[in-house]
């Protein structure tokens, strides 16, 4: 596990915010079209370009279910339809599995929403910031700055990712810029049709 962590850290180049090796998942704007509140604004942007919004390099643990799983995320800056670039967001398949996010560089927030949708909050994630994601909590990363936001996610090896629930109903809140500040708002107040 320690060797794997070192391998992951060594593959990350802070200057270029890229990964030199490893299995990397890449998500482009077109793959998140319906995640954003204004898909028409996404389509307009897609006429010109389909940028990579984020990359995740994951290290699978070799030591079984008691081990930890590591993900290194790089979320690029940008906006579409008034929303910052963001990740799809997910719950863990093993709902009680928690996660710790360790911010490495950039500025951003995490949107946390318990499974029932009753407890919603936004927590800062950026260089030197830590975010604890309890079990049963949907989580999405949002880049609110002008540089790539990079972070480690550390979670139980048996956590798994459930994207289905979020794809069906999305988060109930969005983070948009108001008076220059990332601000949490109810989705239906910002995107009545979204
Ligand atoms: C995994 C961890 C992160 C995310 C990454 C991308 O549990 O939370 O590594 O995978 O932020 O987000 P998403 O929602 O597309 O997996
Ligand atoms: Zn997670």
């Amino acid at each position: 596990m320690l060797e794997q962590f070192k391998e992951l850290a060594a593959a990350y180049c802070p200057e270029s915010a890229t990964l030199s090796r490893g299995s990397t998942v890449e998500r482009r704007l077109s793959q998140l079209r319906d995640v954003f509140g204004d898909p028409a604004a996404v389509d307009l942007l897609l006429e010109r370009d389909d940028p990579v919004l984020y990359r995740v390099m994951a290290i699978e643990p070799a030591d079984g279910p008691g081990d930890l799983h590591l993900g290194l995320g790089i979320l690029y800056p940008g906006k579409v339809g008034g929303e910052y670039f963001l990740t799809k967001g997910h719950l863990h398949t093993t709902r009680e599995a928690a996660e710790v996010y360790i911010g490495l560089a950039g500025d951003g927030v995490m949107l946390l929403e318990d499974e029932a949708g009753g407890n919603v909050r936004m927590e800062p994630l950026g260089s030197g910031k830590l975010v604890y994601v309890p079990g049963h909590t949907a989580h999405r990363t949002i880049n609110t700055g002008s540089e790539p936001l990079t972070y480690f996610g550390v979670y139980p090896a048996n956590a798994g990712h459930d994207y289905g629930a979020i794809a069906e109903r999305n988060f109930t809140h969005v983070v948009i810029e108001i008076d220059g500040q990332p601000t949490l708002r109810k989705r239906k107040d910002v995107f009545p049709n979204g």
Side-chain angles (χ1 to χ4, degrees):
M1 177 69 185
L2 184 58
E3 285 313 308
Q4 291 171 318
F5 187 89
K6 285 180 183 167
E7 183 190 326
L8 184 60
Y12 169 59
C13 173
E15 287 75 31
S16 58
T18 55
L19 298 161
S20 60
R21 59 207 165 94
S23 67
T24 304
V25 172
E26 199 171 78
R27 302 272 184 225
R28 290 182 180 272
L29 179 64
S30 55
Q31 295 170 286
L32 279 90
R33 179 185 181 275
D34 299 318
V35 170
F36 288 100
D38 186 354
V42 175
D43 289 340
L44 211 59
L45 216 156
L46 285 173
E47 284 175 17
R48 281 182 285 135
D49 193 18
D50 187 10
V52 172
L53 299 197
Y54 61 98
R55 295 190 166 92
V56 182
M57 179 178 163
I59 293 279
E60 305 287 342
D63 302 335
D67 208 339
L68 297 171
H69 188 128
L70 291 172
L72 175 61
I74 302 175
L75 173 60
Y76 293 98
K79 269 189 190 168
V80 59
E83 279 182 284
Y84 304 101
F85 283 181
L86 43 71
T87 60
K88 287 168 77 170
H90 59 271
L91 285 150
H92 292 146
T93 312
T94 302
R95 288 291 196 266
E96 58 269 33
E99 180 165 2
V100 172
Y101 274 67
I102 305 165
L104 300 175
D107 285 304
V109 295
M110 287 201 66
L111 183 55
L112 304 178
E113 185 168 311
D114 73 24
E115 209 175 352
N119 183 2
V120 182
R121 58 210 184 275
M122 177 179 84
E123 296 198 8
L125 178 70
S127 178
K129 298 268 195 301
L130 291 180
V131 177
Y132 180 74
V133 181
H136 298 273
T137 305
H139 41 293
R140 166 172 286 166
T141 313
I142 301 172
N143 187 333
T144 59
S146 53
E147 304 294 327
L149 172 67
T150 60
Y151 52 90
F152 278 128
V154 186
Y155 47 100
N158 66 351
H161 293 82
D162 176 3
Y163 295 100
I166 300 302
E168 252 176 46
R169 59 171 170 80
N170 215 334
F171 285 65
T172 61
H173 285 59
V174 293
V175 177
I176 53 168
E177 187 176 301
I178 298 180
D179 296 332
Q181 293 302 316
T183 308
L184 188 64
R185 285 282 181 268
K186 281 186 183 156
R187 175 177 301 277
K188 64 179 170 52
D189 291 347
V190 179
F191 300 110
N193 305 315

